[in-house]
Amino acid sequence: MAERLRIAVLDDSQHVARDAANWSALQARAEIDFFDAPLGGEAEIIAKLSRYDVLVPMRERTAFPASVINALPNLKFIALTGGRAPSLDMAACTARGILICNTRGDFVGAATPELAWGLMLACMRSIPQADASMKRGGWHDPTLVGATLGGKRLGVVGLGKLGGKVAHYGRAFDMEVVGWSQNLTDEDAKAKGATRVDKNELFATSDVISLHLVLSDRTRGIVGAPELSAMKDGAVLINTSRGPLIDEAALIAELKRGRIRAGLDVFDVEPLPTEHPLRALPNVVLTPHLGYSVAPAFRQFYSDSIENILAWLDGKPIRMLNPNALGASKA
């Protein structure tokens, strides 16, 4: 009798996968294991996943470079949650005949900009600090005098789908909105309700700066010591995109000076190490990469993933990212 298909659902650190979708049709045809904790380094990932035929990664929480892909002997299919994962080596998968199918992300377009806006408000009004003070029995704290967003300048770095929505929120809050990215034109900025300025002006004149860029070789470290030191006293930097967009050491140094504030949802290393210096700074609001982490998104991610695996098992794959894998070697 043939061995049952083995499926690993990865990085379910919020313990939502089991209840987010109906797994029964897939459980009738396969053995499914749910992994709640990070898998560790490459050697640990390979050791833990070598027996599985199908992986269901949670976006890019676990990296799958070629060195890992090529060391997983049984891997045949990846049901990727979300539209893409830069940490997954698609070329290595295609070369081995490992098909990747993705899911819809209808709720991410609202979830991440809304979190960015929440971080802005939290920083401008010291909401986490006020909440902590109240729960300690306090009332008015003279160190927690806030500021408004209305009338201030919002600088959006990256005016794509998510950045454009943040710009829209800025106008609704009566903010002046400016934007910059490497390929932004005056026309594109105007279409998003913003004015294009150069990078130096954006960092030097904005009261709040929100990053919405895809991480790539040319955007890694795009916010460094010169940009951070140019920021106005009291300005706020928001990052809900990817941690390595910012030079982390330069950011920590600037935050320690106490001139600026930050709201951060993403980090160079995730999960953020327990003793990381960012955890001890009073002028930063931290969230654990919650940008897309909303219940409707998880329901869609996992329902689509189940549908993708069943379609592949039936020989009629859907939502294929690398269809060329169908004709590649299975070695």
Side-chain angles (χ1 to χ4, degrees):
M1 184 174 182
E3 203 171 345
R4 278 165 63 84
L5 192 77
R6 291 161 296 198
I7 300 172
V9 181
L10 307 179
D11 291 304
D12 184 27
S13 55
Q14 292 173 276
H15 297 195
V16 297
R18 293 168 178 84
D19 297 326
N22 183 351
W23 297 86
S24 59
L26 198 52
Q27 286 170 327
R29 302 173 68 174
E31 169 192 329
I32 306 175
D33 293 322
F34 295 85
F35 290 80
D36 301 331
L39 298 178
E42 282 197 15
E44 293 172 286
I45 293 169
I46 292 165
K48 291 173 182 176
L49 300 182
S50 61
R51 66 186 293 268
Y52 291 97
D53 305 284
V54 175
L55 302 181
V56 186
M58 176 45 63
R59 295 175 58 120
E60 68 268 42
R61 287 180 183 174
T62 294
F64 287 96
S67 54
V68 172
I69 293 295
N70 292 328
L72 298 176
N74 295 307
L75 184 58
K76 303 174 182 66
F77 182 79
I78 295 178
L80 178 66
T81 55
R84 56 186 171 79
S87 59
L88 171 62
D89 193 319
M90 190 181 304
C93 290
T94 302
R96 280 196 52 202
I98 299 166
L99 186 64
I100 306 168
C101 294
N102 64 359
T103 68
R104 294 168 295 167
D106 295 342
F107 301 96
V108 175
T112 301
E114 287 176 8
L115 180 67
W117 207 259
L119 288 170
M120 288 183 207
L121 290 169
C123 290
M124 294 294 284
R125 299 302 298 270
S126 299
I127 293 172
Q129 296 90 333
D131 175 73
S133 174
M134 288 285 287
K135 289 174 179 174
R136 291 192 301 265
W139 188 240
H140 286 149
D141 184 332
T143 68
L144 302 181
V145 178
T148 61
L149 290 171
K152 300 293 195 305
R153 174 175 271 203
L154 170 63
V156 183
V157 179
L159 272 171
K161 180 180 178 181
L162 304 187
K165 186 154 287 191
V166 169
H168 173 71
Y169 297 162
R171 296 193 306 277
F173 272 72
D174 295 324
M175 300 185 77
E176 177 195 9
V177 183
V178 297
W180 174 85
S181 66
Q182 288 149 320
N183 297 324
L184 184 66
T185 65
D186 290 335
E187 294 74 18
D188 290 341
K190 185 177 180 181
K192 298 292 175 63
T195 300
R196 186 181 69 85
V197 296
D198 65 33
K199 184 182 181 185
N200 293 336
E201 179 181 342
L202 186 145
F203 277 88
T205 65
S206 297
D207 299 286
V208 181
I209 298 166
S210 193
L211 306 184
H212 300 281
L213 293 172
V214 173
L215 180 64
S216 66
D217 288 342
R218 71 173 186 161
T219 61
R220 186 178 297 273
I222 200 165
V223 179
E227 290 78 20
L228 295 167
S229 62
M231 290 175 64
K232 298 166 62 173
D233 288 355
V236 172
L237 177 65
I238 304 295
N239 189 9
T240 56
S241 293
R242 291 295 179 271
L245 293 173
I246 304 174
D247 180 332
E248 187 179 85
L251 175 61
I252 291 170
E254 199 63 43
L255 288 168
K256 285 182 175 178
R257 291 178 59 193
R259 274 197 332 104
I260 66 171
R261 292 164 286 171
L264 306 175
D265 185 51
V266 289
F267 309 93
D268 282 8
V269 176
E270 297 183 0
L272 189 68
T274 304
E275 302 301 322
H276 196 283
L278 282 171
R279 291 184 183 268
L281 294 173
N283 51 339
V284 59
V285 177
L286 306 175
T287 50
H289 204 149
L290 296 179
Y292 62 83
S293 297
V294 292
F298 286 128
R299 286 194 291 268
Q300 188 173 66
F301 285 166
Y302 288 119
S303 295
D304 282 2
S305 293
I306 293 167
E307 187 178 52
N308 288 343
I309 298 170
L310 291 172
W312 170 71
L313 286 173
D314 292 337
K316 300 176 181 178
I318 57 176
R319 304 189 189 99
M320 293 179 286
L321 277 179
N322 61 337
N324 289 341
L326 294 174
S329 167
K330 301 295 181 182

